[in-house]
Amino acid sequence: MTRLPFGLGGTDDGRDGDGDGDGVRTDSLRTGSVRTDGGETPNPFANVGDDIARKQLLGRVFVGICGASTLVGIVALFVLLGDVLYEAWGWVTLDFLTYPPSRFIENYYPDGRGAGIYPALVGSILLIALTAVFTMFLGVGAAIYLEEYAPESRLKSFIEANIANLAGVPSIVYGLLGLAVFVRFVGLGESLLAGALTLTLLILPIVIVSAQEALRAVPDSQRHAAYGVGATDWEVVRDVVLPAALPGIMTGTILSLSRAIGETAPLIMIGAATSMFRAPIEDVSGIPVPDLFGPFAAMPMQIFDWARLPEGDFQHVAAAGIVVLLTILLLMNATAILIRNKYEK
Amino acid sequence: MSGSSDVADLTRAGSDIPAGRNLAVRGVFFACALLTVLTTFGIVVVLFDGALGFFREETLFGLLSGVLGGVLAGSPAEAWAALRTGLGTQVTVREFLFGVEWSPIIRPRSYGVLPLLWGTMLIVVGSALIAIPVGTATAIYLSEYADRRVRKVVKPTLEVLAGVPTIVYGFFALSFITPIIQRFFPGTGTFNVAAGAIVVGVMIIPMVSSLSEDAMSAVPDELRNAAYGLGATKFEVSTDVVVPASLSGVMASYILAISRAIGETMAVTLAVGMQPNITLNPLEQAQTMTAYMVQIGISDVSVGSIGYQSLFAVGLLLFVMTLGMNLLSLWIKGRYQEAYR
Amino acid sequence: MSDSYTVGDERENEQDGAAADRADGRNVSTPDPVDETTGETTPSIQHIADADTVIEAADLTVHYGDVEALKPVNVRLPAQEVTAIIGPSGCGKSTFLRCINRMNDMVDAARVGGELRFRGKNVYDEDVDPVALRRKIGMVFQKPNPFPKSIYDNVAYGLEIQGYDGDMDARVEEALRGAALWDEVKDQLDESGLDLSGGQQQRLCIARAIAPDPEVILMDEPASALDPVATAKVEDLIDELAEEYTVVIVTHNMQQAARISDKTAVFLTGGQLVEFGETNRIFENPENQRVEDYITGKFG
């Protein structure tokens, strides 16, 4: 931020980050002029006339408005989080995490029989784990093709423009795609696998773009070093580019997944259950195995279900569900930031 | 020159380079990239085909399989019947686009999408009235006034707003915004347009502020210095130089935010309600295109029924609108990037 | 082969005309730059005997998009000697170097014309795999660029991908000794190559380049990012390398070129090879006036 040091009075009202620098340079300018003027003659650079004063007032009002606007978003965030926490206070219990949902609000009370989010929690975690596996392979593969293999061609720009457009397609439309292709055409039904594949297509554009950025951050000198000793394209990617880009790719993928975990609309469209009493896990000779082809519930669906129930206290249950969802989201983001900080120079 | 035995062998075979593997790997990566193109293709085909079923009673695939089935069964009459029903008009495009009554499941049925479009437009206008001024002022503050440390904290904080699942915004509207509205306007129902517009507005603030700030920060300092050199105040530099110079980037951010508001689903479903309604009163309930799709999604309409088919017609309209907006913003941004060349 | 030789001869025959132009140029107090470039299209190339030739450029040109980065270059580089390529920045010397092992392939917009022969084989022929080429022609880059791996793995990498299945430890040691680095790092082979000092990193990169035993080593300003002490070590090393390898080194440092090279090629602005010959002769008695100006610091 380099700005001309024409302080011209109060426009630099301390909010400005380079206020220090400006201040010093403005001061020296003034002392300079004072010395040459001998102190008696009026400072020719003083703010004279109503015009400048009026403008400065306007400027101060303007900064006030802009600063206040910045606060609007921040305040809204904290009010939103505060509201959720307030509504959920006392409702997030161990039972809430370990019991299936119930139609009767009494069961959710701390002294009730126990009811909660367990099947949806497990469903969401499995859903995201599956989505992670798919997006890692497909997203990184596509990014590697675009960054490391594709020549600068019409095809490459077409694919990249297409990805940019896909990122702007509403998530509910991906739900229709999943419904028509995975649920009906492929015949997966309203299953965990169909849900994961739908979410994969949904976040693939973001994963690809972030993976491309991570690959682009690998210095060319590294690639050249490997090419220089006679490595093939694939050897360069495998031995040099991928290891260096992996932290960035992980960070971007986890952040994209944290978007997927809150997605509700696509799951509604593929006909996922709003509420399930059983987690999508089967017992195969004593070992719990995710049931890829069975029905499942996910946390946002369950929250949606609770939020629509007319009984007033279900608002608290919905809020409790949101707290669990946001906690998982927070954990994912924290992991992503940790990875980034650990590997950032 | 020297004898041929001395000529260097630089072929693949002479150096046992795993060329086949190289090519296979490249093919796999290319397939991954191609998948994104297939996704777009899939969306277009699914929506068009489904919408065809809405307007013509039978999807293209249904029609073809019906006719083929008749032919293979050796019964031309059956094939002809399938063709006739398949091509029969169920809903005219005219009725869909210009009808003012939307009731595709409940009799008397009518298929005018305008009430849903109107609901979406109310949300778009309402949320834009919040997000555009607030987002733009935030961007100006962050780009022109805030010091680097403030910006480093504020920008990601605002982006958290965009990362909160939209279902949470729906809950927030129901549990916080609507009660406040009800305090000032006691007649307001649980579901109302105002609450939906407010939460969607908050949700898209970061889109406007973040993308606009990027555009403003990209304005070269030489331009600012030129204005300072003429004795402009910081306020004048911000409003007369920076904003106009970054206008196309700022406009692109508005359009992207509006596109997001059009496609926004869960918050408006929870906050605005499920009642198609052409109204100007923000305290009434209404239904957006997306909320209608959710309504069908959670009800048990059977596959192939008119309710199921209507999903794709509405979905196609939604897709065309958002795609148009996204392309427009890309086009504007493309023009803007040329401005500094 | 004899074709290009004739072309080269013809160009040498034009020498007189060029000299005349040059004389004109010197008489005019403000030389017209256009005149000067048109007057100098005749490189003074001193040819070497066929048997010693490892690398030969025949009308080699490079275009980046519409920009001509290299005017037709005709030159033969000798085996087991150090050839320095000097010239002001932007003169195409690095471009020429990168043509030799086809590193320019990675620049999408680069188009190469003419031929570049490595031991008689045009490396731009259809059946040449650039990967195979680079296994015979190693490269050391301007900035030290060790992989973020251990010292040992850095040196072993080229051998590994080339499928070497002999005594890896011995080859790594040999390469590190060859790069005059062994004594300094023999006790820390498992530590990251990035933990070394800049000069050590560059010698590690040289070790990495010589480990697979290439025939030619290309060096792109290998000492420009190093301090004087490290530079001296790298220069000594280059001297030793020439006993076994053909070394082609790009440098903008004329003293360095004079110290370490046997032959020198001078590129001047516009991507033109203006003079090539014995280093001593080029520095003491250049034929070309612009080369003399450049070497004496009047130009560039």
Side-chain angles (χ1 to χ4, degrees):
Chain A
M1 298 246 305
T2 40
R3 303 277 191 277
L4 257 201
F6 270 75
L8 281 187
T11 48
D12 231 340
D13 63 352
R15 288 171 185 270
D16 184 355
D18 49 324
D20 292 348
D22 283 0
V24 169
R25 288 163 81 178
T26 314
D27 279 346
S28 61
L29 190 86
R30 276 184 191 149
T31 39
S33 70
V34 165
R35 270 178 204 154
T36 44
D37 290 339
E40 298 244 307
T41 32
N43 179 0
F45 299 120
N47 292 329
V48 278
D50 294 337
D51 190 39
I52 291 178
R54 190 180 58 80
K55 276 183 183 167
Q56 278 169 5
L57 184 67
L58 207 63
R60 243 165 286 164
V61 172
F62 182 69
V63 177
I65 291 174
C66 290
S69 296
T70 310
L71 284 180
V72 168
I74 295 171
V75 168
L77 177 65
F78 283 103
V79 170
L80 183 145
L81 295 178
D83 175 57
V84 169
L85 282 179
Y86 173 78
E87 297 280 348
W89 198 256
W91 289 79
V92 186
T93 59
L94 192 61
D95 280 359
F96 186 73
L97 294 177
T98 53
Y99 275 85
S102 164
R103 288 282 141 195
F104 305 103
I105 187 70
E106 308 87 67
N107 292 338
Y108 290 95
Y109 293 148
D111 51 353
R113 291 227 316 271
I117 201 171
Y118 175 71
L121 176 60
V122 175
S124 268
I125 291 174
L126 291 178
L127 187 67
I128 288 311
L130 271 180
T131 309
V133 173
F134 296 148
T135 43
M136 269 300 253
F137 278 99
L138 297 173
V140 174
I144 288 177
Y145 177 75
L146 292 174
E147 285 304 311
E148 307 293 326
Y149 285 90
E152 292 298 333
S153 63
R154 300 265 292 272
L155 179 68
K156 185 187 171 188
S157 353
F158 171 71
I159 293 178
E160 287 190 329
N162 178 58
I163 289 171
N165 268 319
L166 276 180
V169 172
S171 60
I172 196 164
V173 172
Y174 283 95
L176 286 180
L177 178 69
L179 171 65
V181 174
F182 300 128
V183 176
R184 305 243 311 122
F185 187 73
V186 182
L188 293 175
E190 294 95 28
S191 61
L192 195 60
L193 191 58
L197 288 171
T198 307
L199 290 185
T200 299
L201 292 189
L202 170 70
I203 62 168
L204 206 50
I206 337 170
V207 173
I208 293 174
V209 170
S210 71
Q212 276 183 283
E213 271 166 28
L215 293 173
R216 238 173 275 153
V218 178
D220 264 349
S221 66
Q222 289 287 309
R223 291 186 183 84
H224 290 167
Y227 279 121
V229 286
T232 61
D233 291 340
W234 165 234
E235 284 162 345
V236 172
V237 169
R238 182 193 63 194
D239 300 335
V240 176
V241 179
L242 267 186
L246 203 59
I249 290 174
M250 293 289 289
T251 306
T253 307
I254 294 174
L255 289 178
S256 314
L257 287 171
S258 75
R259 240 190 79 171
I261 200 171
E263 278 294 347
T264 322
L267 299 182
I268 289 178
M269 296 325 289
I270 64 161
T274 46
S275 189
M276 288 279 294
F277 295 98
R278 210 175 61 82
I281 288 184
E282 338 171 78
D283 248 16
V284 178
S285 54
I287 305 158
V289 172
D291 181 7
L292 297 185
F293 301 99
F296 70 101
M299 282 194 287
M301 298 287 291
Q302 183 66 63
I303 293 164
F304 177 58
D305 195 43
W306 282 325
R308 287 187 310 140
L309 290 175
E311 217 169 325
D313 272 352
F314 270 110
Q315 289 309 307
H316 300 295
V317 179
I322 291 175
V323 169
V324 176
L325 175 64
L326 290 183
T327 306
I328 302 243
L329 235 163
L330 194 72
L331 287 177
M332 292 173 76
N333 282 296
T335 312
I337 291 167
L338 273 180
I339 293 177
R340 179 161 58 198
N341 288 352
K342 185 160 178 224
Y343 289 96
E344 228 171 39
K345 286 161 266 159
Chain B
M1 194 72 208
S2 5
S4 65
S5 62
D6 243 29
V7 173
D9 181 4
L10 300 174
T11 56
R12 229 168 244 156
S15 330
D16 67 7
I17 292 163
R21 192 180 61 192
N22 220 11
L23 214 63
V25 165
R26 187 191 167 105
V28 169
F29 291 147
F30 179 63
C32 292
L34 209 60
L35 181 67
T36 61
V37 179
L38 278 180
T39 305
T40 310
F41 182 71
I43 288 174
V44 171
V45 166
V46 162
L47 293 180
F48 267 97
D49 189 49
L52 210 62
F54 177 72
F55 292 113
R56 291 272 181 248
E57 282 198 21
E58 191 61 271
T59 63
L60 192 60
F61 288 132
L63 178 74
L64 289 178
S65 64
V67 173
L68 265 181
V71 169
L72 289 181
S75 155
E78 229 174 86
W80 177 244
L83 190 66
R84 285 198 55 167
T85 40
L87 287 179
T89 303
Q90 181 167 245
V91 180
T92 62
V93 176
R94 188 192 165 89
E95 179 185 0
F96 178 67
L97 288 180
F98 300 106
V100 291
E101 202 69 51
W102 179 256
S103 175
I105 322 171
I106 302 161
R107 285 166 209 280
R109 293 183 174 172
S110 49
Y111 306 105
V113 80
L114 278 186
L116 300 183
L117 208 55
W118 183 261
T120 297
M121 280 306 125
L122 283 180
I123 295 297
V124 165
V125 171
S127 59
L129 282 179
I130 294 168
I132 287 181
V134 171
T136 313
T138 302
I140 293 175
Y141 181 75
L142 290 180
S143 157
E144 303 302 309
Y145 292 94
D147 92 55
R148 228 172 35 160
R149 278 161 304 168
V150 171
R151 193 168 44 203
K152 234 182 143 183
V153 174
V154 169
K155 224 183 158 184
T157 309
L158 282 177
E159 272 157 16
V160 171
L161 273 179
V164 172
T166 60
I167 182 98
V168 179
Y169 280 97
F171 173 83
F172 181 58
L174 281 181
S175 71
F176 190 83
I177 305 286
T178 296
I180 290 179
I181 295 174
Q182 281 168 334
R183 190 167 301 165
F184 291 101
F185 305 97
T188 310
T190 311
F191 303 113
N192 60 82
V193 172
I198 290 172
V199 289
V200 174
V202 169
M203 189 187 308
I204 61 177
I205 285 175
M207 284 199 86
V208 175
S209 67
S210 189
L211 295 174
S212 297
E213 201 255 322
D214 290 346
M216 291 175 190
S217 301
V219 172
D221 273 342
E222 288 77 30
L223 271 183
R224 292 188 180 85
N225 292 346
Y228 282 123
L230 292 171
T233 63
K234 193 155 191 167
F235 165 62
E236 288 167 323
V237 170
S238 303
T239 53
D240 297 346
V241 176
V242 176
V243 171
S246 57
L247 198 60
S248 34
V250 173
M251 294 302 289
S253 82
Y254 294 170
I255 292 167
L256 277 185
I258 287 172
S259 163
R260 170 96 195 265
I262 292 175
E264 170 36 45
T265 307
M266 295 320 291
V268 293
T269 304
L270 276 178
V272 181
M274 303 267 191
Q275 185 67 55
N277 184 8
I278 299 188
T279 178
L280 274 173
N281 183 354
L283 302 179
E284 286 181 26
Q285 65 168 312
Q287 186 172 41
T288 64
M289 295 191 286
T290 49
Y292 168 74
M293 294 166 77
V294 169
Q295 187 187 4
I296 296 296
I298 55 176
S299 62
D300 24 53
V301 295
S302 53
V303 170
S305 70
I306 183 82
Y308 178 85
Q309 291 167 338
S310 68
L311 275 181
F312 294 90
V314 176
L316 177 62
L317 185 61
L318 184 69
F319 175 70
V320 168
M321 287 171 69
T322 50
L323 182 71
M325 295 296 238
N326 295 340
L327 290 178
L328 184 65
S329 91
L330 277 184
W331 180 75
I332 289 180
K333 241 169 125 182
R335 272 189 52 186
Y336 143 79
Q337 277 169 345
E338 283 174 353
Y340 290 119
R341 248 175 228 165
Chain C
M1 196 92 321
S2 55
D3 271 358
S4 73
Y5 204 64
T6 333
V7 171
D9 283 346
E10 276 170 10
R11 296 190 164 221
E12 276 184 278
N13 292 340
E14 284 172 19
Q15 200 65 54
D16 295 356
D21 281 356
R22 230 169 30 236
D24 285 349
R26 255 199 288 204
N27 289 341
V28 181
S29 55
T30 49
D32 186 340
V34 178
D35 266 342
E36 192 165 322
T37 40
T38 50
E40 306 289 5
T41 48
T42 312
S44 341
I45 311 290
Q46 193 180 55
H47 279 296
I48 52 171
D50 275 353
D52 294 333
T53 304
V54 171
I55 291 159
E56 174 178 11
D59 283 332
L60 183 77
T61 59
V62 176
H63 291 258
Y64 292 126
D66 299 332
V67 182
E68 187 180 43
L70 217 55
K71 292 208 172 95
V73 172
N74 290 283
V75 71
R76 294 175 175 191
L77 306 184
Q80 255 101 328
E81 284 196 86
V82 178
T83 301
I85 302 176
I86 61 171
S89 53
C91 68
K93 54 191 192 298
S94 279
T95 300
F96 174 68
L97 191 77
R98 280 156 185 268
C99 280
I100 298 175
N101 67 344
R102 289 185 61 174
M103 288 299 273
N104 278 333
D105 285 16
M106 266 156 268
V107 183
D108 282 328
R111 277 180 300 121
V112 178
E115 292 197 354
L116 191 128
R117 303 192 190 99
F118 168 67
R119 285 212 280 107
K121 175 75 181 166
N122 180 11
V123 304
Y124 289 94
D125 275 351
E126 277 295 316
D127 64 342
V128 169
D129 189 318
V131 173
L133 174 69
R134 291 178 201 132
R135 290 178 177 189
K136 297 207 160 57
I137 303 181
M139 186 156 193
V140 177
F141 298 83
Q142 188 165 4
K143 270 203 222 150
N145 55 357
F147 299 124
K149 304 177 185 222
S150 71
I151 292 170
Y152 183 96
D153 288 343
N154 261 287
V155 181
Y157 182 73
L159 291 162
E160 268 164 25
I161 57 169
Q162 299 189 16
Y164 178 74
D165 51 6
D167 187 350
M168 188 68 83
D169 292 356
R171 285 290 287 271
V172 169
E173 178 176 342
E174 191 189 333
L176 282 169
R177 283 188 191 283
L181 192 60
W182 175 253
D183 292 333
E184 290 163 63
V185 301
K186 62 172 182 251
D187 299 324
Q188 52 182 69
L189 291 177
D190 290 334
E191 285 171 31
S192 170
L194 292 172
D195 291 342
L196 299 175
S197 71
Q200 287 175 321
Q201 283 188 13
Q202 193 60 302
R203 277 180 284 146
L204 177 63
C205 292
I206 292 173
R208 184 177 64 193
I210 61 177
D213 202 25
E215 294 177 33
V216 178
I217 297 172
L218 309 179
M219 296 186 163
D220 190 354
E221 306 201 17
S224 67
L226 305 181
D227 62 66
V229 178
T231 300
K233 279 193 179 165
V234 169
E235 284 182 7
D236 289 347
L237 180 55
I238 291 169
D239 226 28
E240 287 166 31
L241 287 177
E243 288 168 19
E244 229 178 306
Y245 305 97
T246 304
V247 178
V248 184
I249 175 171
V250 161
T251 176
H252 61 257
N253 179 336
M254 273 175 288
Q255 287 73 31
Q256 185 174 66
R259 277 195 298 270
I260 61 177
S261 69
D262 307 302
K263 300 277 193 303
T264 295
V266 186
F267 281 75
L268 290 180
T269 333
Q272 193 185 12
L273 173 61
V274 184
E275 191 157 354
F276 173 77
E278 294 288 338
T279 297
N280 290 340
R281 184 190 61 74
I282 295 252
F283 278 92
E284 281 157 21
N285 184 24
E287 290 175 10
N288 185 301
Q289 181 57 40
R290 285 168 71 216
V291 170
E292 189 180 323
D293 288 349
Y294 173 65
I295 283 169
T296 53
K298 284 186 198 152
F299 154 68

